[in-house]
Amino acid sequence: MNDYELNALGEQGMAALARGGHAEALRCFNAIVSAGRADGTVWVALALTRQALGDTEGLAQALDAALKLEPQNVRALLMRGDIFAAVGDRRAAVS
């Protein structure tokens, strides 16, 4: 996948996510991940897609991948904290 294709898929995925086309967004972001070209932003977008689809496990996995690449990614940290808060783990939510 060249840079043009990568950018096009990312833009297509974000547009699909914004309009509620979660299956299309998932396809786009998964293609970027499969090509080994995902950065923290793509992983967070995939996490948002998984969240919209009600896939809590996929959401957590995508956030973990984002934070592995970008440990200070604020959006990923906040989303991960929200997951812990939702299950009542206040200590983990703020750590």
Side-chain angles (χ1 to χ4, degrees):
M1 176 180 304
N2 64 39
D3 288 343
Y4 176 79
E5 293 168 326
L6 175 73
N7 289 333
L9 269 176
E11 289 177 12
Q12 184 180 351
M14 292 304 292
L17 182 59
R19 70 172 180 276
H22 303 123
E24 180 183 356
L26 185 63
R27 182 189 59 76
C28 292
F29 300 134
N30 278 338
I32 296 169
V33 168
S34 293
R37 301 287 307 270
D39 60 10
T41 301
V42 170
W43 282 110
V44 169
L46 181 57
L48 290 166
T49 304
R50 293 288 188 183
Q51 183 177 41
L53 291 168
D55 178 4
T56 305
E57 185 176 328
L59 162 64
Q61 290 171 351
L63 291 175
D64 287 346
L67 290 167
K68 183 176 180 183
L69 292 174
E70 298 175 9
Q72 301 302 315
N73 185 309
V74 174
R75 188 151 204 192
L77 288 167
L78 289 171
M79 289 176 71
R80 191 178 75 175
D82 288 343
I83 291 171
F84 288 123
V87 297
D89 190 344
R90 293 177 61 136
R91 179 176 294 238
V94 297
S95 64

